[in-house]
Amino acid sequence: IDLSISRDGAQSWGNSVRQYMNPTGNYRSRMIFQRLGQSNDITVQLNFVGFGRYVCMDGVIEAYS
């Protein structure tokens, strides 16, 4: 999964941060991205890259200050 962040209303995107998912059948994948900086207005873009199909359910984003 590649995560990109926009701090200007999705006009431009920063560098991607990559996290690898668990192989199929090995529990659910939990992605934790840390040290992404701070902003008043943020837009998050997730890109799923691979040969298989992806199903995303019950997504939750938690932000801490």
Side-chain angles (χ1 to χ4, degrees):
I1 299 175
D2 292 337
L3 175 122
S4 300
I5 294 177
S6 173
R7 293 183 171 90
D8 60 359
Q11 296 297 316
S12 62
W13 298 94
N15 295 336
S16 295
V17 178
R18 180 165 286 184
Q19 288 275 349
Y20 293 98
M21 297 176 61
N22 291 330
T24 303
N26 291 350
Y27 304 102
R28 292 185 180 183
S29 290
R30 178 179 173 197
M31 297 293 128
I32 298 175
F33 295 92
Q34 298 179 346
R35 296 178 169 251
L36 297 176
Q38 49 186 325
S39 177
N40 290 328
D41 182 25
I42 189 170
T43 305
V44 177
Q45 179 183 45
L46 296 172
N47 292 317
F48 294 85
V49 181
F51 296 110
R53 294 182 180 175
Y54 298 95
V55 177
C56 299
M57 302 182 323
D58 299 330
V60 176
I61 293 178
E62 296 179 4
Y64 299 98
S65 60

